[in-house]
């Protein structure tokens, strides 16, 4: 359980939830998220992910921003019920939407509540790194801009390294592809981090592709609701039969190469955990993207996928919690 230090209104339909210090909130990486357990009379609880808007390099307390989803259950419950002193169960920080280095210049594209991980990344680069940030930030109208004052203060403090381009649909319509293209073309060596509503992310992805930029240099965080409950006690995955066929597999994780025999019929995450290799995962239902990796060799298939687009799959991206080996040729997976 973590205790809420305060709940601060951000806009008419979004609040910041600030947490007290807690061992469940250890060092996190900018762009990562927490999973909150929201009580429900109907189902006992539901689990929802919220990106940390705070920076691990600023000394500020950990904070998430929750925006109400029209007729959504958990977001409205959190906005209506949490107050200073409340306690809530969380899963520790997770997620791979995080820059490899704070020394590189970055392009950030945020739409609405998609600003939360972008804010954490921007603050971290500015405060603890040397990189510069160009942020494109789209919102419905001026009143719905989350963290407007915080961004203004950062721009004043880092005028040479942070540029924020606000885009208001009420005045300018949907973000224009030419505007996105110009921003991408003006920074040919920068990687991009994108988070926002699906049409916004599609528009940025199309502009990226049209600019001829590499798929591996654009990082997308999709805000979906988990379908399962990572807080529930998990039935252990059935162990592979002793005579199960296996495929020789190399798994590269944080620079280390693990060579394993991967049994058919068992997902890669389940197998790696069963042999004591700590891989990143959260939902294990193909919803959150925490277990994403790239398959560079061999034949594999996903038994479920609620996240990856055709283009991601064509690029070799895989959700390893859903990944099974098929065929006989050796497999290589890089996290
Ligand atoms: C990595 C990640 C990061 C994210 N970061 C953020 C963030 O920073 N800020 C943000 O605002 N959002 C974020 N999200 C999205 C967030 O997790 C939720 O998807 C969002 O808040 C909508 O959840 P909701 O329950 O309100 O809406 P929905 O999921 O649309 O709620 C409807 C669902 O709730 C069920 N339901 C309805 N009533 C009940 C009930 N009484 N009991 C149980 N179930 C019920 C319905 O069956 C339906 O499935 C993130 C998501 C991910 C994956
Ligand atoms: S752990 Fe969530 S998609 Fe694999």
């Amino acid at each position: 359980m973590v205790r809420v230090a305060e709940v601060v209104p951000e806009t008419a339909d979004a609040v910041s939830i600030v947490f007290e210090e807690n061992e469940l909130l250890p060092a996190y990486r900018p762009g990562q998220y927490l999973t909150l357990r929201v009580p429900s009379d109907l189902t006992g609880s539901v689990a929802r992910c919220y990106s940390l808007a705070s920076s691990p390099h600023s000394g500020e307390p950990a904070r998430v921003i929750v925006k109400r989803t029209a007729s959504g259950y958990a977001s409205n419950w959190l906005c209506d019920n949490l107050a200073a002193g409340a306690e809530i169960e969380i899963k520790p920080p997770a997620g791979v939407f995080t820059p490899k280095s704070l020394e590189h210049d970055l392009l950030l594209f945020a739409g609405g509540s998609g600003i939360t991980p972008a804010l954490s990344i921007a603050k971290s680069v500015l405060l603890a790194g040397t990189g510069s940030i160009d942020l494109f930030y789209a919102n419905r109208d001026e009143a719905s801009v989350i963290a407007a004052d915080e961004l203004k203060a950062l721009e004043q403090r880092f005028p040479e390294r942070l540029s924020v381009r606000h885009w208001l649909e009420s005045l300018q319509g949907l973000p224009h592809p030419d505007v996105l293209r110009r921003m991408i073309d003006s920074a040919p060596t920068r990687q991009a981090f994108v988070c926002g509503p699906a049409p916004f992310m599609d528009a940025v992805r199309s502009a990226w592709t049209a600019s001829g930029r590499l798929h591996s240099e654009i990082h997308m965080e999709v805000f979906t609701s988990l379908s399962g409950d990572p807080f529930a006690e998990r039935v252990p995955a059935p162990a592979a039969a002793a005579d199960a066929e296996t495929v020789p597999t190399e798994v590269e994780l944080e620079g280390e190469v693990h060579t394993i025999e991967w049994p058919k019929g068992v997902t890669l995450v389940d197998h790696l955990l069963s042999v004591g290799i700590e891989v990143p995962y959260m939902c294990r239902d193909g919803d959150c993207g925490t277990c994403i990796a790239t398959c560079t060799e061999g034949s594999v298939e996903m038994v479920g996928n609620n996240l990856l687009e055709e283009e991601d799959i064509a690029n070799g991206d895989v959700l390893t919690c859903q990944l099974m080996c098929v065929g006989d040729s050796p497999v290589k997976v890089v996290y």
Side-chain angles (χ1 to χ4, degrees), residues 33 40-43 46 48-51 65-67 69 71-76 113 116-117 221-226 287-288:
Y33 66 86
S40 155
D41 291 339
L42 212 61
T43 57
V46 292
R48 293 286 184 266
C49 307
Y50 292 97
S51 303
I65 299 177
V66 180
K67 182 171 178 176
T69 295
S71 32
Y73 174 67
S75 57
N76 286 294
S113 58
T116 47
E221 185 78 307
V222 181
F223 278 6
T224 49
S225 291
L226 301 189
D287 290 328
C288 73

XYZ file of all heavy atoms in Angstrom, residues 33 40-43 46 48-51 65-67 69 71-76 113 116-117 221-226 287-288, ligand 1:
290
model
N 5.528 3.659 -15.651
C 4.185 3.825 -15.091
C 4.015 2.982 -13.830
O 4.776 2.040 -13.582
C 3.113 3.434 -16.126
C 3.125 1.960 -16.492
C 2.424 1.027 -15.744
C 3.867 1.495 -17.568
C 2.459 -0.327 -16.058
C 3.907 0.148 -17.901
C 3.203 -0.748 -17.140
O 3.242 -2.082 -17.440
N -13.600 -2.170 -6.462
C -14.878 -2.184 -7.187
C -15.836 -3.143 -6.491
O -15.460 -4.270 -6.177
C -14.640 -2.662 -8.622
O -15.816 -3.233 -9.151
N -17.077 -2.683 -6.242
C -18.087 -3.569 -5.643
C -18.436 -4.695 -6.602
O -18.838 -5.785 -6.212
C -19.371 -2.787 -5.340
C -19.138 -1.804 -4.210
O -18.167 -2.029 -3.461
O -19.897 -0.822 -4.101
N -18.266 -4.398 -7.881
C -18.701 -5.339 -8.912
C -17.726 -6.505 -9.070
O -18.125 -7.669 -9.146
C -18.781 -4.556 -10.229
C -19.805 -4.945 -11.259
C -21.207 -4.792 -10.687
C -19.642 -4.032 -12.493
N -16.445 -6.171 -9.119
C -15.461 -7.218 -9.444
C -14.403 -7.395 -8.362
O -13.454 -8.144 -8.556
C -14.715 -6.837 -10.747
O -14.124 -5.549 -10.552
C -15.634 -6.780 -11.951
N -10.214 -3.420 -10.016
C -9.685 -3.411 -11.382
C -8.274 -2.821 -11.312
O -7.979 -2.032 -10.407
C -10.533 -2.576 -12.380
C -11.875 -3.203 -12.636
C -10.692 -1.134 -11.904
N -5.340 -0.571 -13.196
C -5.125 0.401 -14.268
C -3.727 0.991 -14.152
O -3.225 1.209 -13.045
C -6.141 1.551 -14.181
C -7.590 1.153 -14.454
C -7.848 0.896 -15.932
N -9.250 0.615 -16.207
C -9.789 -0.606 -16.265
N -9.032 -1.671 -16.047
N -11.068 -0.758 -16.541
N -3.116 1.260 -15.302
C -1.761 1.823 -15.336
C -1.827 3.340 -15.443
O -2.659 3.867 -16.188
C -1.017 1.308 -16.571
S -1.022 -0.475 -16.725
N -0.934 4.043 -14.737
C -0.826 5.497 -14.861
C 0.650 5.875 -14.902
O 1.428 5.501 -14.007
C -1.573 6.204 -13.713
C -3.073 5.975 -13.865
C -3.711 4.965 -13.164
C -3.802 6.705 -14.796
C -5.061 4.692 -13.369
C -5.160 6.446 -15.012
C -5.772 5.441 -14.298
O -7.103 5.169 -14.525
N 1.018 6.620 -15.938
C 2.422 7.020 -16.106
C 2.820 7.996 -15.021
O 2.025 8.846 -14.609
C 2.610 7.701 -17.461
O 2.202 6.841 -18.483
N -0.775 11.421 -13.101
C -1.890 12.307 -13.456
C -2.987 11.440 -14.067
O -2.737 10.698 -15.014
C -1.453 13.388 -14.466
C -0.359 14.264 -13.847
C -2.654 14.235 -14.891
C 0.213 15.322 -14.792
N -4.177 11.526 -13.492
C -5.311 10.727 -13.982
C -6.316 11.662 -14.638
O -6.756 12.639 -14.026
C -5.994 9.979 -12.822
C -7.175 9.161 -13.341
C -4.991 9.063 -12.110
N -6.659 11.340 -15.871
C -7.675 12.130 -16.575
C -8.940 11.293 -16.678
O -8.873 10.104 -17.027
C -7.166 12.486 -17.977
C -8.136 13.346 -18.751
C -7.516 13.848 -20.034
C -8.529 14.670 -20.800
N -7.981 15.255 -22.000
N -11.939 9.392 -17.969
C -12.397 8.851 -19.246
C -13.919 8.859 -19.182
O -14.485 8.397 -18.182
C -11.902 7.391 -19.406
O -10.483 7.415 -19.491
C -12.461 6.717 -20.641
N -17.434 7.872 -19.002
C -17.994 6.599 -18.513
C -16.964 5.522 -18.164
O -17.289 4.347 -18.084
C -19.100 6.031 -19.425
O -18.931 6.324 -20.740
N -15.729 5.940 -17.937
C -14.712 4.994 -17.462
C -14.913 4.736 -15.983
O -15.335 5.634 -15.257
N -14.568 3.565 -15.531
C -14.781 3.251 -14.115
C -13.626 3.763 -13.241
O -13.802 4.590 -12.340
C -14.971 1.735 -13.905
C -15.045 1.430 -12.429
C -16.120 1.889 -11.679
C -14.008 0.767 -11.768
C -16.177 1.689 -10.307
C -14.068 0.552 -10.397
C -15.145 1.017 -9.675
O -15.198 0.827 -8.324
N -12.413 3.270 -13.515
C -11.310 3.510 -12.586
C -10.890 4.981 -12.537
O -10.643 5.532 -11.453
C -10.118 2.643 -12.993
N -10.791 5.625 -13.704
C -10.310 7.015 -13.706
C -11.267 7.892 -12.903
O -10.824 8.754 -12.128
C -10.152 7.531 -15.135
O -11.370 7.420 -15.836
N -12.569 7.669 -13.051
C -13.543 8.484 -12.299
C -13.493 8.143 -10.814
O -13.585 9.028 -9.967
C -14.947 8.299 -12.873
C -15.069 9.035 -14.196
O -15.009 10.265 -14.228
N -15.173 8.299 -15.289
N -3.734 13.607 -22.058
C -3.066 13.025 -20.884
C -1.762 12.309 -21.255
O -0.996 11.918 -20.373
C -4.010 12.055 -20.159
O -4.416 11.038 -21.053
N 1.844 12.978 -19.614
C 2.444 12.518 -18.349
C 3.830 11.878 -18.533
O 4.791 12.337 -17.919
C 1.499 11.592 -17.548
O 0.968 10.630 -18.416
C 0.391 12.373 -16.898
N 3.991 10.855 -19.386
C 5.346 10.307 -19.524
C 6.293 11.294 -20.194
O 7.495 11.320 -19.877
C 5.143 9.053 -20.383
C 3.852 9.252 -21.107
C 3.006 10.106 -20.208
N 3.705 4.923 -26.640
C 3.064 4.393 -25.426
C 1.554 4.469 -25.632
O 0.998 5.556 -25.825
C 3.465 5.234 -24.207
C 2.945 4.697 -22.884
C 3.747 3.499 -22.347
O 3.933 2.518 -23.093
O 4.172 3.564 -21.175
N 0.898 3.312 -25.615
C -0.551 3.270 -25.849
C -1.254 3.186 -24.503
O -0.970 2.284 -23.705
C -0.917 2.042 -26.721
C -2.417 2.006 -26.980
C -0.156 2.074 -28.036
N -2.161 4.129 -24.248
C -2.907 4.136 -22.983
C -4.139 3.235 -23.111
O -5.188 3.672 -23.574
C -3.374 5.565 -22.650
C -2.340 6.431 -22.001
C -1.027 6.009 -21.848
C -2.677 7.691 -21.520
C -0.066 6.816 -21.232
C -1.735 8.507 -20.908
C -0.431 8.078 -20.770
N -4.009 1.969 -22.709
C -5.181 1.091 -22.745
C -5.512 0.658 -21.322
O -4.698 0.793 -20.422
C -4.901 -0.198 -23.544
O -3.676 -0.740 -23.066
C -4.812 0.052 -25.019
N -6.702 0.117 -21.146
C -7.091 -0.435 -19.849
C -6.731 -1.913 -19.830
O -6.989 -2.624 -20.810
C -8.595 -0.269 -19.637
O -8.895 1.104 -19.462
N -6.135 -2.367 -18.733
C -5.779 -3.787 -18.653
C -7.058 -4.623 -18.631
O -8.040 -4.254 -17.987
C -4.973 -4.064 -17.383
C -3.653 -3.301 -17.221
C -2.871 -3.848 -16.023
C -2.791 -3.380 -18.469
N -1.654 -6.640 -23.115
C -2.298 -5.323 -23.066
C -1.325 -4.166 -22.903
O -1.556 -3.076 -23.417
C -3.255 -5.231 -21.859
C -4.493 -6.096 -22.016
O -4.934 -6.263 -23.166
O -5.006 -6.588 -20.998
N -0.254 -4.353 -22.091
C 0.480 -3.173 -21.595
C 1.774 -2.865 -22.344
O 2.256 -1.740 -22.285
C 0.788 -3.341 -20.110
S 2.097 -4.544 -19.766
C 1.207 2.174 -19.782
C -0.053 2.977 -19.556
C 0.044 4.248 -19.009
C -1.108 5.009 -18.799
N -0.986 6.259 -18.271
C -2.076 7.027 -18.063
C -1.954 8.346 -17.517
O -0.858 8.824 -17.224
N -3.094 9.061 -17.310
C -4.330 8.577 -17.645
O -5.327 9.269 -17.406
N -4.464 7.333 -18.178
C -3.382 6.553 -18.378
N -3.517 5.282 -18.894
C -4.868 4.775 -19.191
C -5.499 4.176 -17.924
O -4.777 3.019 -17.517
C -6.962 3.757 -18.132
O -7.035 3.005 -19.321
C -7.887 4.949 -18.212
O -7.824 5.721 -17.021
C -9.346 4.495 -18.452
O -9.715 3.621 -17.423
P -11.227 3.593 -16.902
O -11.397 2.409 -16.028
O -11.605 4.919 -16.337
O -12.052 3.468 -18.230
P -12.481 2.149 -18.967
O -11.430 1.114 -18.936
O -13.014 2.578 -20.293
O -13.683 1.716 -18.028
C -14.640 0.952 -18.517
C -14.347 -0.480 -18.097
O -14.576 -0.601 -16.714
C -15.466 -1.707 -16.478
N -16.302 -1.313 -15.333
C -17.313 -0.434 -15.316
N -17.829 -0.322 -14.075
C -17.122 -1.172 -13.280
C -17.146 -1.511 -11.909
N -18.026 -0.958 -11.061
N -16.248 -2.414 -11.451
C -15.353 -2.983 -12.286
N -15.269 -2.705 -13.611
C -16.143 -1.804 -14.090
C -16.259 -1.864 -17.749
O -16.637 -3.187 -17.920
C -15.240 -1.450 -18.803
O -14.443 -2.561 -19.195
C -2.382 4.490 -19.126
C -2.473 3.199 -19.663
C -1.324 2.453 -19.878
C -1.429 1.063 -20.446
